[in-house]
Amino acid sequence: MRTQKMSTQDRIARVVLDVIGALPTGLQRALGGTPVRIDGQSLEPEVQLALRLLSAVEGVSFEHLPLDAGRAQIDAESALFGGKPTEVESVRDLEIPADGRTIPARLYRPAGLPETPPLLVYFHGGGFVLGSLESGDSVCRFLARHADVAVLAVDYRLAPEHPFPAGRSDAVDAFRYCVSHAADLGIDPNSIAVGGDSAGGNLAATVAQETAADAVSPAFQLLFFPWVDLSSKRPSHTMFGTGFFLTDAQLDWYTEHYLTGDASATDPRVSPLLAPDFTGLAPAYIAVAGFDPLRDEGEAYAEKLREAGVSVALRRHSGLIHAFVNTVGVGHTGRDAMLEACGALRVGVSGNRGSVSA
């Protein structure tokens, strides 16, 4: 595991974030300026203030940096917003063999688990281009500790070095490895969930679709603001495409890196929202952010599951922005959203497949 070094800019941002989180809501609202209200939603005061203050110390955005520098920036930002690492009993790096290659992964086990606990196979976000085991570390630790599950983070291959379908292949192979090597991992093969945020939510959804007919398929889907349609832009892209952390221009930059050659955004393996059949998929908890370009497609995915008779709970955190899963070390809004998701995950892998409903 790498240790992230904080730059001077990051240290300043850390102080700013700590101050914001400690302020009472009324003072956050006063300092944040006129409340931001769009589409019947109001931005959370701590989020609005953080966006306002961090813009003053913000550097060059990742899409304007060399690729290695952009990836390092995302890892550092994730460590910054994740705060002090959530303690778990053990963290173990491993390699998953798959068709002549190996897929790096990291297994988290919190204290107090049963002998063969449920497992969440988790895919980090980053637009299929950025992100790593480091950027997803705070998320996986939090989910393991508060949902009482083991978590396997998958370091799938990234574009542009490895464009579609490399990352998707890694995701499917990693899930199937967990099923076939459950005894080696010390987990229950019948209680394996898939989850992820943003692009990772896309991969989790495609794994659920690809393996639905397997002898052992996912028991549950945990999808955070999933990017499930790269082929079209819904109204939320226009409403929240600038000024709310993730931009529409960044989504275009990601797509250009991920889809090369003959790859098509209308391929359901790229855009799982376009899959022709959703019947028989695992129950799902889908959490979206109100001020997020990806909001509408995440909600559309929930509706497609619901129409197919799949048990699904959709939660819109109307005052939050993209990537709130990475903010458990700042204030309370991201942490509160994640605690709710942990409860859904705990129920979802308990074997009560019908207990998570709309």
Side-chain angles (χ1 to χ4, degrees):
M1 289 179 284
R2 299 193 304 271
T3 300
Q4 297 298 323
K5 283 191 172 183
M6 293 182 69
S7 65
T8 300
Q9 179 178 302
D10 288 341
R11 291 190 188 95
I12 295 172
R14 178 71 256 173
V15 172
V16 169
L17 293 171
D18 287 343
V19 170
I20 290 172
L23 294 175
T25 301
L27 189 51
Q28 290 174 347
R29 185 175 289 111
L31 294 173
T34 303
V36 176
R37 296 189 175 94
I38 301 176
D39 197 31
Q41 307 170 135
S42 295
L43 197 60
E44 284 282 352
E46 75 174 28
V47 176
Q48 182 173 334
L49 180 56
L51 287 173
R52 182 177 185 180
L53 295 182
L54 289 177
S55 66
V57 296
E58 188 174 7
V60 179
S61 184
F62 62 79
E63 71 270 27
H64 302 300
L65 294 171
L67 200 53
D68 287 348
R71 288 171 175 164
Q73 182 184 86
I74 293 300
D75 283 356
E77 287 180 353
S78 298
L80 176 70
F81 284 86
K84 183 179 178 181
T86 302
E87 290 189 9
V88 294
E89 186 173 61
S90 66
V91 180
R92 176 166 66 95
D93 286 347
L94 61 142
E95 292 187 337
I96 296 172
D99 193 24
R101 67 188 190 281
T102 57
I103 307 167
R106 184 172 292 168
L107 182 63
Y108 300 82
R109 294 180 72 99
L113 290 183
E115 184 176 352
T116 54
L119 175 73
L120 171 66
V121 182
Y122 196 83
F123 309 104
H124 63 76
F128 311 102
V129 179
L130 311 174
S132 67
L133 294 178
E134 307 308 323
S135 70
D137 185 69
S138 64
V139 180
C140 292
R141 286 174 173 272
F142 193 94
L143 289 169
R145 172 74 176 274
H146 295 286
D148 297 321
V149 298
V151 176
L152 184 80
V154 179
D155 201 11
Y156 55 89
R157 287 171 290 176
L158 299 175
E161 301 94 329
H162 304 285
F164 172 84
R168 178 185 183 276
S169 297
D170 287 352
V172 173
D173 287 345
F175 173 78
R176 286 176 170 156
Y177 174 87
C178 292
V179 172
S180 61
H181 291 77
D184 297 332
L185 295 171
I187 55 95
D188 180 357
N190 296 308
S191 296
I192 303 177
V194 291
D197 57 280
S198 196
N202 173 299
L203 295 178
T206 61
V207 169
Q209 292 181 0
E210 175 73 15
T211 63
D214 287 8
V216 178
S217 59
F220 192 68
Q221 302 178 71
L222 181 71
L223 308 180
F224 295 109
F225 37 85
W227 189 12
V228 287
D229 186 4
L230 280 65
S231 72
S232 64
K233 296 186 177 183
R234 288 167 172 74
S236 56
H237 281 255
T238 301
M239 286 187 283
F240 312 113
T242 58
F244 300 103
F245 185 67
L246 176 66
T247 70
D248 203 41
Q250 288 170 344
L251 290 169
D252 290 340
W253 182 84
Y254 285 139
T255 301
E256 290 168 3
H257 283 70
Y258 184 51
L259 300 182
T260 62
D262 296 330
S264 170
T266 60
D267 186 331
R269 298 173 303 163
V270 171
S271 299
L273 181 62
L274 306 184
D277 188 8
F278 284 68
T279 55
L281 295 182
Y285 176 87
I286 301 176
V288 300
F291 288 77
D292 185 351
L294 302 181
R295 183 196 70 183
D296 291 355
E297 64 197 71
E299 295 185 342
Y301 198 76
E303 184 58 29
K304 279 284 195 75
L305 289 170
R306 187 177 291 117
E307 289 173 353
V310 177
S311 180
V312 56
L314 171 65
R315 176 68 155 100
R316 180 196 287 190
H317 296 283
S318 60
L320 300 187
I321 59 175
H322 190 81
F324 62 76
V325 298
N326 298 103
T327 65
V328 294
V330 180
H332 71 89
T333 55
R335 183 181 178 85
D336 291 347
M338 285 290 284
L339 286 172
E340 180 181 305
C342 287
L345 175 60
R346 191 182 303 111
V347 171
V349 293
S350 67
N352 301 317
R353 293 176 65 89
S355 61
V356 177
S357 58

